[in-house]
Amino acid sequence: MAALPDSKPTPMMAQYLALREEAGDALLFYRMGDFFELFFEDARTAAAILDIALTTRGEHQGAPIPMCGVPVHSAEGYLARLIKAGCRVAIAEQVETPDEAKARAKREGTPSSKALVGRAIVRLVTAGTLTEEALLEPRRANVLAALAELRGVIGIAACDVSTGAMVLEDCAPDMLGAALARMSPSEVVVPEDWAHGPDDAIFRPRSTFASDAGADRLKALHGVATLDAFGAFTRAMLGAAGGLIAYLDHVGRGKLPLLLPPVARAAAAGMAMDEATRASLEILESTTGGRAGSLIGAVDRCVTGAGSRLLAEDLSAPLLDVQAIEARLALVQFWRDRPIERAQLRDSLRAIPDLGRALGRVVAGRGSPRDLGQLRDGLSEAARLHHWLSGAPDRPALLDDVLARLTGHGALTDWLARALVPTPPTERGNGGFIADGYDAALDELRATSGDARRAIAVMEARYRDETGIATLKIRHNGVLGYFIEVAARHADALMAPDSGFTHRQTMAGAVRFNSLKLHEEAARIAEAGGHALAAEEAHFEELVTEVVAVREAIAATAAALARIDVAAGIAERAAEGDWCRPAIAEDAGLAITGGRHPVVEAALAKAGERFVANDCVLASDNRLWLIGGPNMGGKSTFLRQNALIVLLAQAGCFVPASAARIGLVDRLFSRVGAADNLARGRSTFMVEMVETAAILAQATGRSFVILDEVGRGTSTYDGLALAWAVAEAVHSQIRCRCLFATHYHELARLAETCEALSLHHVRAREWQGDLVLLHELAQGPADRSYGLAVARLAGVPGPVVERAKAVLEKLEATREATGGIAAGLGDLPLFAALRAEPQPASPEQQLAEALRDADLDALTPREALDLLYEWKRALPQARG
C-alpha cells in the first residue's frame, strides 16, 4: 500500500492510522456505524474495483481525505469482488459499545463526550481462508497451501478451510509445479525470502515453518500426545503444517477455523501430471477459463456441491492402486444398474445442504442458526439414506464403507430438532430461532413481550378514541423506540399541558409524542426482549459447543455423502452417453474400442452432429503410433481423447468408449498445442521444447505420452531432426506407450528401424475440389497433408492458394529428384546406438581438459614452462 500522510491527526484518524499500519498490504474495512469505511489509497483502490462513489471526509495535511464505504449488511458481496480482484481485506470492528467507551473515558479522566469507541482488526479476509457461503463457489474447493523446504525436500500442507480437510505431502523441488497444479490453491504461503514459491505467494516469518513447532501445533490442535495415529509425516511436511496453522492463526486473530486431522499423501499415490499436461487436457478448466469446455464440465452430473468438489479431486489425482480403482468402479456399476433407485437417490441428495461447509462456518465462529438447521436436516437425511440403502442387495464394499459413516448422529439431530424452529434465520441478532416449548423461561419472556405489544395495540385504539384523531399511530424506530405520531395539524391538542402527552420530535408533516403508559409498556417489551435475546444466544452457543465436539464424525458423514453423489453422478453420465466400465490391468497395454472425446462429443451433440469413434490398441510390440493426416482431421482430438479415457478410468469413472482395457499409467504427459509465455520470456517453440524436455526426463516405461507436431515451431530441417530424435528416444530409450501426431511424412521411415512403431493416419478425401474430413483413423502412412485444401476451406483467397499450389508442385519435383530432406536418414544408427558409442574427445578438447585439470598455484616456474612446451607440441597435431 502507498505510504500514508504524516501529520497530527484527530483521535479517530489516529486510531485509523494505527489499524492501517497493522493491516499491512491488506485493504482496511473500518467499521463506522452501519458502514465499513475506507480512506486514502484504500478508498481509491476499492472504489475503482467496486465501481462505487469516491468522496472525501475532512482534511489531512491540508488535503481532502479520499473515502468510500459499503453497508455492513451487504459487505459480503463487496468482499467477494475485492477478493476476486486479488485484494486482501482486514476487518476492523467496534469492540466496545458507546456506553462502554464513555465508562472507559471516565476511568481514564477523559471527557465522556470525546470518548472514541475502541476498534480492532478481528479478521483478515484472504482468498484461501474464506468460509462464508456468499464468498465461495459451491462446486469448487478453496485450497490454502503452505510450503517449507528442508534438506532439498519441499513439504506441502494443503487445506480447504471451508470444510477442514487437511493433507500433508512432500516432493522434490522439480515436482513442485506439478503438485501445485494438482491442488490449484487459491493462496500459497511460504517462508520469507524463499525463492521457489509462486510469484504471488504470501511471505511469512521463517520461524513459523519450524518442523518441531509444526508438530507441536498439530498435537495441541487435536489434543494428542503423538501424531502416530494420523500417519507418518516427514520433517518437511511438519514444517509446512506449522506455517499453515500459524498463518491461519494470524488471519483469524487467534481464532482457528475447522481443521480435521491431517492425512499423509504419498508422492506415488496417484498418476503424475505436470502443469502443461493439465492445461493441455483442460481437466478442470478450459483454455478460455471456467468449467464450460473442460473435462469436468462434460462429466459432472453431481447434484451437490460437495460431490462436484470431490469429483474434481478425483480427476486431479487419478489412482495407481487397482483395488481402489475397482472399488470406485463397482460403486458406479451398482448405481448404473439401478436407474429407478438412482433417480430416487439423486432426488434425496439434491435436498441435502452442504454439510461440510456449514460445519466449517460453525467451527470457525461464523455460523448462523441456519447453519445449525442445515446440519440438523442434512444429518437426518443421511440417517434416512442409511436405513434405505442398508437393505439393498449386492452392495459393493465401498458402499458398505460409506454407509457406516452416515449414522451415529441421532442424539444431536434430536436435540437440534427440539431446539430450533423449522426454518432458522441467517442472523441470530434478532432471535426467533429457538423453538417454542424448548425453554419454558424463554417462552414466558416471549409471552410477556407479546402481551406488551398487544397492550400497545389496544392503547393505540384508546388514544384515537380519546383524542378523536383517527390517523394517530404508535410507531417504533431504533432511535426513539416507541412513540405516538400524529399529523402536524392535529398536534396542538396533544401539546396542551394537561393532555398526558410529552413532545418528542417535530417532523416536516408530523409530530411525535410519548406518554407515561406507553413508556411503561415499551420498557416491559425492551426488558423481556433483551432477556429473550440473551437466552437464545446462550442456547445457540450451547448447540455450537455440541456440534464442535463431534465435528470429525460430521465431516466423515459429509465426505460419505459426497462419495455416493460422485458415484451416482458418474452412473448418470454413463447412462446418458453409453459409457462403459473400463477393465484395469497391471500390464503396460492399452486397448480402447470406439473411444470418444467427452467434451467434443457433447459439443457436437448440441449441434446435432455425430462424433466419429476410433480404436486405439497399444502393446509392448506396438507401443508408439505415428499419426499423420490433414489439419482439422482429428489427430489432436484422437490424442487427447485417449489420454482422457486413461485419466477417467484411473479416477474410477466409466469412460466414453464401447470397451476399454487400461494398463496402469504412472505418469501422463500431453504436449499438444503451445502458446507464447511472454511473462517468462519464452516463445512458442521454447515452450514446446521445455515441455518436450520434461517428458524425456521424467517419463518411464509405464507412462503414457501424447505428442502433437513436435518441431513445428522452427525451420523444417531443425523441426524434422528434433521430431525424429524425440520419436527415437521415446521408442528406444523410454519405451512407453505413445501417440505421436506429425505432418513430417519423412518420419514414416522410422518404421523401418523401430520395431514397436506403427504408422497411422486420419482419413480425408477431396471431392469436386472440396476437402471432406472423415475423422477416421486408418493404418498406414498419410498419402498427403491436404494443407492447400484446408487453406481453401479456411477462406484463404483463391489466387494465394493457386500460387501456393504452383510452388508446391515445384518443391515436390525437387524432392523426387533429390530424395527429399530425409534422404540418407535411414542409414543413421538408432538413437540407442549413438548413446552406446560415445565419440572420443578431439585433441582440442583434450588440451582444454588438461588446462582445466592443471593446478596452476601448485606448479613451479619450471613445471609451468614444461607444461607450455608440451601443449605447444600438441597444437600442430590438433590442427593437422
Side-chain angles (χ1 to χ4, degrees), residues 38-41 43-44 54-58 63-68:
L38 299 96
F39 301 99
F40 299 108
E41 286 304 314
R44 293 191 178 96
L54 181 67
T55 61
T56 60
R57 177 190 175 107
I65 300 173
M67 171 186 136
C68 69

Side-chain angles (χ1 to χ4, degrees), residues 108-252:
E108 296 171 353
T110 306
S112 60
S113 60
K114 297 183 179 180
L116 180 65
V117 173
R119 294 177 176 85
I121 295 177
V122 297
R123 179 190 172 197
L124 278 172
V125 183
T126 70
T129 60
L130 305 176
T131 57
E132 289 83 353
E133 195 172 8
L135 305 182
L136 293 167
E137 295 183 39
R139 296 182 175 270
R140 181 176 180 178
N142 191 50
V143 177
L144 169 69
L147 312 177
E149 185 174 12
L150 186 66
R151 298 188 183 93
V153 176
I154 297 178
I156 307 173
C159 74
D160 184 342
V161 174
S162 68
T163 61
M166 186 175 188
V167 177
L168 305 184
E169 61 182 281
D170 59 23
C171 67
D174 61 341
M175 297 302 295
L176 177 60
L180 291 179
R182 183 187 74 248
M183 299 173 191
S184 187
S186 300
E187 191 174 8
V188 178
V189 182
V190 301
E192 56 193 354
D193 301 325
W194 192 60
H196 302 298
D199 296 336
D200 56 352
I202 305 298
F203 291 102
R204 295 293 300 155
R206 280 189 172 272
S207 59
T208 63
F209 291 84
S211 59
D212 290 340
D216 291 340
R217 286 192 176 102
L218 284 172
K219 293 173 187 175
L221 181 64
H222 298 291
V224 296
T226 176
L227 299 175
D228 293 347
F230 300 146
F233 305 113
T234 65
R235 308 302 295 180
M237 292 181 192
L238 294 173
L244 180 75
I245 298 172
Y247 179 69
L248 289 172
D249 186 65
H250 165 69
V251 300

Side-chain angles (χ1 to χ4, degrees), residues 9 31 76 97 225 244 442-443 486 588 656 664 730 782 836 844:
R31 179 73 178 265
E76 283 189 353
T97 65
L244 180 75
L442 176 59
D443 292 343
V486 298
L664 280 182
V730 170
E844 289 87 348

Side-chain angles (χ1 to χ4, degrees), residues 617-682:
V617 181
L618 301 176
S620 59
D621 59 349
N622 185 23
R623 59 181 177 269
L624 195 160
W625 280 19
L626 199 65
I627 305 168
N631 288 312
M632 297 176 60
K635 297 191 302 296
S636 297
T637 298
F638 179 74
L639 266 59
R640 284 191 175 102
Q641 79 186 35
N642 288 291
L644 292 178
I645 287 172
V646 169
L647 186 155
L648 285 169
Q650 292 189 212
C653 302
F654 280 33
V655 300
S658 301
R661 183 181 182 278
I662 311 296
L664 280 182
V665 170
D666 65 348
R667 299 185 176 205
L668 181 62
F669 293 96
S670 172
R671 211 235 62 75
V672 179
D676 291 338
N677 190 333
L678 299 181
R680 295 188 178 182
R682 293 176 177 176

Side-chain angles (χ1 to χ4, degrees), residues 304-380:
T304 69
S308 293
R309 297 194 299 270
L310 181 59
L311 176 61
E313 185 179 327
D314 289 349
L315 296 178
S316 296
L319 301 173
L320 290 178
D321 186 294
V322 173
Q323 289 185 338
I325 297 170
E326 290 291 358
R328 290 185 185 177
L329 291 172
L331 186 54
V332 176
Q333 186 74 59
F334 178 83
W335 293 116
R336 174 70 175 84
D337 295 340
R338 294 163 174 80
I340 296 176
E341 291 87 346
R342 184 174 74 242
Q344 294 172 344
L345 171 72
R346 287 164 59 80
D347 286 342
S348 296
L349 290 172
R350 195 175 280 111
I352 294 180
D354 197 328
L355 291 181
R357 286 190 166 172
L359 177 66
R361 290 189 292 272
V362 169
V363 176
R366 300 168 198 148
S368 68
R370 179 172 175 264
D371 291 321
L372 292 179
Q374 288 185 336
L375 293 174
R376 172 200 62 197
D377 299 341
L379 294 175
S380 298

